[in-house]
Amino acid sequence: MTVESRFECPARMANLSQATAFAEAFCATHQVSSVDGLRLALVLEELFTNTVMHGHGGDGAAPLRIGLRVEPSQIILRYEDTAPRFDPLAHLAQAAVRVDEEIADRPAGWLGLRLVVNLASSVSYRREDDLNRLQLTLPRQDRQG
C-alpha cells in the first residue's frame, strides 16, 4: 500500500525551511537515500521559491501544498499553489535556451525551472480548481532497502 504524506503552509519564504524539513523527514521515514533526498530538496526549493517570488510576487497567506509518495524506483512529488495560472512546460518550450549561448548572453531566468524538469523522469501540469497542479516523478538513483 502506498501512502502519500502531505504538507501545507502559507506561501512565505520563511516557510521554506519547514517545507524542506518535511521532505527530509519523509525521506528518513521511507529510507530514501541522501542522494535522492538532496535532489528532492533542490526541486522543492526551486518550486517553492518560484511560487513565492514570481507566482505571488512576494510573501503572502495563499496556501502552498506538497504531497510526497515513494515507490521502489521513484519518488512522486505533487505540488500545488494558488498563484496565477502558470504552465512551466509550455513556458519552457517558448523560452528554450540554446546550449551554445554563453551564460551571460542567455535571457534571465528559466535555468532553475529547466533543471527541475530535467531531474524528473516525467512532469505533468494542469490548472484545476484555481490551482496550479504540478506532478513530478523523480527516479531513485540510489535505492535502499
Side-chain angles (χ1 to χ4, degrees):
M1 180 175 170
T2 303
V3 176
E4 183 172 290
S5 295
R6 298 173 193 260
F7 175 81
E8 182 174 335
C9 67
R12 294 186 185 110
M13 286 309 298
N15 293 330
L16 176 57
S17 62
Q18 291 176 318
T20 56
F22 160 73
E24 288 172 8
F26 174 87
C27 289
T29 298
H30 297 285
Q31 300 169 338
V32 172
S33 72
S34 60
V35 170
D36 292 331
L38 288 171
R39 284 178 33 263
L40 173 61
L42 176 65
V43 167
L44 188 54
E45 287 178 20
E46 182 66 23
L47 295 174
F48 194 105
T49 301
N50 284 349
T51 293
V52 174
M53 302 307 292
H54 304 294
H56 292 295
D59 288 342
L64 181 146
R65 297 180 188 101
I66 299 163
L68 294 173
R69 186 174 81 226
V70 68
E71 297 177 356
S73 63
Q74 58 196 13
I75 301 164
I76 310 297
L77 167 61
R78 291 175 36 104
Y79 186 89
E80 299 177 347
D81 67 40
T82 60
R85 178 184 301 270
F86 180 76
D87 180 349
L89 302 174
H91 284 275
L92 280 173
Q94 293 172 4
V97 177
R98 290 189 1 224
V99 177
D100 62 342
E101 286 182 312
E102 294 293 326
I103 292 289
D105 296 332
R106 293 181 182 179
W110 305 109
L111 294 177
L113 193 53
R114 183 169 298 284
L115 174 68
V116 164
V117 169
N118 286 336
L119 287 174
S121 59
S122 70
V123 180
S124 65
Y125 168 84
R126 70 183 192 275
R127 180 73 178 188
E128 185 176 74
D129 300 327
D130 292 327
L131 295 170
N132 291 303
R133 292 188 166 166
L134 193 61
Q135 181 168 307
L136 296 98
T137 302
L138 303 172
R140 293 180 70 178
Q141 303 289 321
D142 186 21
R143 290 178 252 164
Q144 295 179 353

